[in-house]
Amino acid sequence: MAPDAWRDAEFMRAALAQAVAARAAGEVPVGAVLVRDERIVAHGANAPIASNDPTAHAEIAALRAGGRALGSYRLADTTLYVTLEPCVMCAAAIVHARVRRLVFGAWDPRAGGAGSLANVFNLPGLNHRVDVFGGVLMEECARLLDEFFAARRG
């Protein structure tokens, strides 16, 4: 495995731990970690149900925590790892935060904003470009979601 692929898998495992925490709280199991200089500077887990906040997605939580940790709303030179392809709202927030790189696990054909439903990252006129990589630990990320929804359907 290439060094970048190994590193991406390790950070995605940290995002998966956040997704497991979200599941334990009764939330859809999506997790995220924000990395700068090879270390996690922030993390987030889905929490819209508990917080009564439709914007409380894992990515938004990680971006907010990253802004606080780094002392800036511009998260230059960071990589965001998330277990599910970001929705359009989260994709736009990632662009506005100036995240350098996005790595996600499972694709989201219903709401994905990185190519499945729409591709926010390729919209013309944006003044920032994000390098996007999907499918890292895709099976593990998808399995966590599949098991969660299968249990809810009973």
Side-chain angles (χ1 to χ4, degrees):
M1 184 179 291
D4 285 345
W6 179 84
R7 181 180 60 238
D8 286 348
E10 287 303 305
F11 286 125
M12 188 60 72
R13 284 186 184 89
L16 275 163
Q18 292 297 310
V20 169
R23 179 185 63 190
E27 303 279 354
V28 175
V30 178
V33 296
L34 186 70
V35 173
R36 181 187 265 176
D37 298 327
E38 303 300 319
R39 69 179 186 87
I40 296 172
V41 296
H43 56 81
N46 258 11
I49 298 167
S51 64
N52 296 310
D53 179 356
T55 70
H57 291 193
E59 300 93 325
I60 301 298
L63 294 174
R64 287 176 177 158
R68 288 189 299 273
L70 299 173
S72 177
Y73 70 99
R74 297 237 170 136
L75 305 175
D77 299 320
T78 61
T79 299
L80 182 66
Y81 292 86
V82 62
T83 57
L84 181 65
E85 177 185 3
C87 70
V88 171
M89 173 187 72
C90 291
I94 292 164
V95 170
H96 287 292
R98 307 296 196 271
V99 169
R100 180 179 53 84
R101 190 166 174 259
L102 166 69
V103 179
F104 66 88
W107 294 88
D108 186 354
R110 290 186 175 170
S116 290
L117 175 67
N119 194 337
V120 172
F121 301 101
N122 284 340
L123 290 174
L126 293 177
N127 62 353
H128 178 71
R129 294 288 171 208
V130 178
D131 294 330
V132 179
F133 302 90
V136 174
L137 299 185
M138 180 172 55
E139 293 80 15
E140 293 95 319
C141 294
R143 186 177 325 110
L144 190 61
L145 288 158
D146 291 344
E147 290 170 357
F148 175 82
F149 286 113
R152 289 182 74 101
R153 286 186 216 108

